């Protein structure tokens, strides 16, 4: 349908007389929308009065655009929603790590606090990004199509990318192998998400942190040496656990993306 | 440039009711706040009336998919919400204004509505236009770039309505939307409701009977978690007699229906 209307037809169309039937008008109109050459022909075909009017309108619009407000600038960073609310928790986690590094640096006799604390440090902010206590708009968030494991994982990645540099500095200052803090951190985060699909993320984080403190941190502080699971030999074990837990989370995310309805576990009802 | 209408938009709906509940039970804490409720809502503006503690907010939360039903069936836009169903598709068609509208104080109105539009999985290219339109429809254009914490109560409520309508929802749930609006804004709001109600299903929870009388086409009256009465606004006004409490025909109808229901229950 690339036949152009004849100039005569266009001028009849422009004059708006009753000489052209509706069907032809529609066909010409549809063609004009896509053909700049024929629009130029049309512009020449209209009478001077209309021409004048069109020019004035075009001028008015152009000056209006020039004088009007500029397009609103997009603030990409703020789109992350709860980021500002989670900041205190991030600062707490950072402070915890720095304190641990400082302690380790000052007291040589103690087992490495950095390694002991590192696995549970990111759990605080991870729990915070998915908690209705921290998110003022939780009730709205809970009704959103995007809410679910994918969004939670997105926020968790955000937390990890903020906490990791601190851990890296603490690990580097105290001279530990990166694997010894990196793998436990990833393992515990994946474990929180995996357990979180069952009992809720904040409860999962709390349970894992308490278990770790009671089962590993307290005994090793009492003994005065690092437990076996924080030595080089346990690295393959950590790696396997991390991979397995991440696989569980990813599978859950694919199968049941809406498993997590913000903070409280499935089916548990709102108290207020 | 004209917007292309997609096939999905012109397709006929495959469900008879936008909101359909059968023997729906929802818990608020331990208490069964919605008990065996049967409800069918189609296109139009429906007013949800009931005394305090009737289960209005709990019902709204269940319809908004915040709460999981404890029993019965809930079907929204033809999609089953009960069980472990994938709610994504249903939720894209929902708009919800909670009773306690939580917001991020440092966000501007535009940023907040944009963020909600993003959470509602709207196409990226459609978001700026839809946000502007929503903000204009609630009359907040001149405050669109003010931070939320600087807004008055009525403006916050309107910002809440803007985020609810930004995706042109097929089911719009508004819990106490007129709280804090001044009389003029209330008129504008009713106008907006009538406009949106032409092609979507709106459920407005309120205890202001006069709001229902003017803005709503249908009335749903619940008490103690059960459906007491459902009908048009006109039918509600016919229910009341001269002896019933209330200043307007609608109020008299409301109190007459409630009194009759209480009589039935206690008998």
């Amino acid at each position: 349908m690339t036949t152009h209307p004849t100039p005569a037809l266009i001028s009849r169309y422009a004059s708006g007389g009753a000489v052209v039937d509706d069907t032809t008008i529609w066909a010409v109109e549809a063609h004009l929308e896509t053909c700049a050459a024929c629009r130029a022909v049309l512009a020449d075909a209209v009478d001077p009065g209309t021409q004048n009017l069109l020019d004035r309108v075009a001028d008015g619009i152009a000056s209006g655009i020039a004088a009007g407000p500029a397009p609103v600038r997009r603030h990409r960073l703020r789109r992350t929603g709860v980021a500002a609310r989670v900041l205190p928790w991030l600062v707490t986690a950072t402070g915890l790590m720095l304190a641990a590094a400082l302690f380790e640096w000052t007291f040589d006799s103690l087992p490495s606090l950095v390694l002991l604390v590192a696995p549970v440090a990111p759990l605080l902010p991870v729990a915070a990004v998915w908690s209705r206590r921290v998110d003022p708009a939780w009730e709205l968030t809970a009704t959103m199509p995007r809410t679910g494991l994918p969004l939670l994982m997105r926020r968790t990645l955000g937390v990890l990318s903020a906490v990791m540099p601190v851990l890296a500095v603490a690990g580097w200052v105290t001279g530990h192998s990166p694997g010894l803090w990196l793998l436990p951190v990833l393992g515990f985060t994946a474990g929180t998400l995996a357990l979180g699909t069952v009992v809720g993320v904040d409860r999962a984080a709390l349970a894992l942190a308490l278990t770790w403190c009671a089962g590993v941190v307290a005994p090793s502080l009492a003994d005065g040496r690092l437990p076996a699971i924080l030595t080089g030999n346990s690295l393959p074990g950590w790696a396997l656990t991390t991979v397995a837990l991440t696989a569980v989370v990813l599978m859950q995310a694919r199968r049941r993306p809406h498993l997590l309805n913000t903070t409280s576990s499935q089916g548990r009802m709102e108290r207020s | 440039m004209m917007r292309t209408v997609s096939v999905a938009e012109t397709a006929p709906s495959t469900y008879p009711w936008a909101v359909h509940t059968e023997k729906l039970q929802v818990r608020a804490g331990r208490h069964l706040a919605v008990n065996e409720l049967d409800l069918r809502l189609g296109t139009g503006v429906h007013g949800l009336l009931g005394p305090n503690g009737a289960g209005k907010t709990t019902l709204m939360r269940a319809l908004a998919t915040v709460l999981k039903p404890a029993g019965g069936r809930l079907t929204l836009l033809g999609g089953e919400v009960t069980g472990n169903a994938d709610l994504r598709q249903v939720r894209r068609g929902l708009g919800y204004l909670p009773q306690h509208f939580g917001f991020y104080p440092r966000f501007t109105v535009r940023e907040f509505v944009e963020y909600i539009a993003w959470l509602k999985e709207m196409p990226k290219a459609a978001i700026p236009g839809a946000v502007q339109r929503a903000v204009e429809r609630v009359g907040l254009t001149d405050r669109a770039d003010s931070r939320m914490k600087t807004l008055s109560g009525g403006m916050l409520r309107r910002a809440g309505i803007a985020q609810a309508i930004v995706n042109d929802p097929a089911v719009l749930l508004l819990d106490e939307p007129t709280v804090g609006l001044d009389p003029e804004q209330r008129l504008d709001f009713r106008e907006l409701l009538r406009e949106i109600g032409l092609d979507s299903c709106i459920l407005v929870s309120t205890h202001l009977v006069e709001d229902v009388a003017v803005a709503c086409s249908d009335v749903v009256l619940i008490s103690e978690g059960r459906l007491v009465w459902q009908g048009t606004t006109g039918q509600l006004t016919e229910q009341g007699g001269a002896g019933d409490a209330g200043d307007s025909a609608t109020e008299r109808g409301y109190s007459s229906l409630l009194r009759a229901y209480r009589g039935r229950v206690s008998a």
Side-chain angles (χ1 to χ4, degrees):
Chain A
M1 233 224 34
T2 49
T3 344
H4 298 272
T6 59
L9 177 58
I10 289 182
S11 71
R12 266 188 289 152
Y13 168 81
S15 67
V19 275
V20 197
D21 61 292
D22 285 350
T23 326
T24 316
I25 289 181
W26 293 337
V28 171
E29 221 149 67
H31 177 83
L32 284 171
E33 275 174 13
T34 58
C35 180
C38 290
R39 281 202 298 271
V41 176
L42 175 70
D44 294 335
V46 294
D47 61 279
T50 315
Q51 188 83 54
N52 187 15
L53 174 72
L54 286 174
D55 285 346
R56 271 189 291 125
V57 169
D59 279 351
I61 290 176
S63 62
I65 289 174
V72 180
R73 223 181 27 178
R74 304 280 293 274
H75 302 276
R76 292 229 152 261
L77 273 176
R78 296 229 188 88
R79 292 287 290 279
T80 42
V82 285
R85 299 259 143 189
V86 177
L87 209 60
W89 299 92
L90 277 176
V91 171
T92 312
T94 309
L96 200 65
M97 281 321 298
L98 292 181
L102 192 67
F103 254 81
E104 188 169 336
W105 186 64
T106 324
F107 304 101
D108 281 343
S109 57
L110 283 178
S112 166
L113 265 179
V114 167
L115 290 188
L116 285 173
V117 175
V120 290
L123 297 194
L124 272 177
V126 165
V129 292
W130 210 249
S131 161
R132 63 175 56 169
R133 286 173 200 86
V134 175
D135 187 355
W138 69 266
E139 197 175 345
L140 269 180
T141 317
T143 68
M144 295 296 157
R146 208 179 278 275
T147 300
L149 263 176
L151 185 66
L152 170 59
M153 290 194 317
R154 209 184 153 102
R155 289 183 178 181
T156 306
L157 282 182
V159 166
L160 285 183
S161 62
V163 174
M164 282 301 181
V166 183
L167 286 177
V169 168
W172 176 71
V173 165
T174 50
H176 293 293
S177 142
L180 279 179
W181 56 264
L182 182 64
L183 282 176
V185 164
L186 294 179
F188 264 83
T189 313
T192 304
L193 298 197
L195 189 61
T197 58
V198 186
V199 297
V201 177
D202 41 5
R203 285 192 199 92
L206 189 68
L208 284 182
L210 285 181
T211 313
W212 177 257
C213 288
V216 176
V217 178
S220 61
L221 282 182
D223 281 2
R225 57 198 169 81
L226 273 182
I229 56 165
L230 281 179
T231 56
N233 297 336
S234 57
L235 281 183
W238 280 112
L240 267 181
T241 319
T242 308
V243 170
L245 287 171
T246 313
V248 168
V249 176
L250 289 179
M251 252 161 55
Q252 292 276 29
R254 273 186 73 85
R255 272 181 47 225
R256 297 149 79 185
H258 287 284
L259 209 56
L260 285 166
N261 223 345
T262 59
T263 137
S264 78
S265 65
Q266 272 282 305
R268 199 173 293 272
M269 291 308 157
E270 159 67 1
R271 227 162 278 141
S272 74
Chain B
M1 173 89 186
M2 218 141 83
R3 194 175 68 94
T4 324
V5 177
S6 72
V7 180
E9 281 174 277
T10 50
S13 61
T14 51
Y15 45 86
W17 307 101
V19 175
H20 190 180
T21 74
E22 286 169 285
K23 302 220 172 298
L24 181 71
Q25 294 181 320
V26 192
R27 279 180 205 287
R30 288 172 198 281
H31 172 64
L32 207 54
V34 173
N35 196 358
E36 309 226 323
L37 184 81
D38 292 305
L39 191 63
R40 274 175 264 186
L41 302 178
T43 306
V45 187
H46 308 272
L48 180 63
L49 282 176
N52 277 334
K56 296 193 295 286
T57 292
T58 309
L59 175 62
M60 291 300 239
R61 282 183 165 173
L63 297 184
T65 71
V66 179
L67 297 182
K68 263 179 95 71
R73 264 166 64 101
L74 170 59
T75 317
L76 291 172
L77 301 170
E80 183 94 25
V81 174
T82 340
N84 270 329
D86 187 358
L87 301 174
R88 202 170 199 149
Q89 195 56 43
V90 167
R91 283 178 168 177
R92 282 192 194 133
L94 289 185
Y96 175 49
L97 171 67
Q99 188 174 27
H100 302 289
F101 169 55
F103 56 92
Y104 304 116
R106 294 178 60 80
F107 273 40
T108 66
V109 176
R110 189 189 305 281
E111 281 164 353
F112 186 77
V113 181
E114 245 173 24
Y115 181 58
I116 295 293
W118 178 78
L119 283 176
K120 288 186 178 183
E121 298 189 323
M122 294 181 68
K124 213 172 189 171
I127 290 182
V131 169
Q132 182 63 33
R133 182 158 169 268
V135 169
E136 273 171 17
R137 285 180 103 177
V138 297
L140 273 181
T141 320
D142 50 338
R143 298 302 298 269
D145 294 306
S146 324
R147 300 205 170 189
M148 305 273 286
K149 62 181 173 191
T150 64
L151 299 187
S152 71
M155 287 177 182
L156 275 178
R157 219 63 203 149
R158 285 188 280 155
I161 297 166
Q163 64 77 22
I165 62 173
V166 68
N167 57 334
D168 290 320
V171 172
L172 178 60
L173 306 159
L174 302 171
D175 202 347
E176 306 277 355
T178 51
V179 172
L181 297 189
D182 65 36
E184 194 190 354
Q185 290 162 357
R186 207 167 274 205
L187 290 181
D188 292 343
F189 171 69
R190 289 173 187 161
E191 188 53 45
L192 179 65
L193 275 193
R194 278 192 282 262
E195 196 180 296
I196 299 173
L198 288 179
D199 56 359
S200 36
C201 168
I202 311 182
L203 187 61
V204 189
S205 154
T206 178
H207 42 239
L208 291 177
V209 181
E210 83 243 39
D211 272 347
V212 169
V214 238
C216 300
S217 53
D218 296 275
V219 181
V220 175
L221 179 57
I222 65 171
S223 178
E224 291 157 3
R226 291 170 195 273
L227 182 67
V228 174
W229 187 82
Q230 186 178 3
T232 64
T233 319
Q235 286 165 346
L236 177 66
T237 55
E238 290 162 14
Q239 298 289 324
D244 292 305
D247 295 327
S248 66
T250 329
E251 279 179 1
R252 281 192 287 276
Y254 170 78
S255 45
S256 137
L257 281 168
L258 264 190
R259 199 164 39 93
Y261 173 76
R262 286 183 180 135
R264 277 207 304 280
V265 169
S266 57

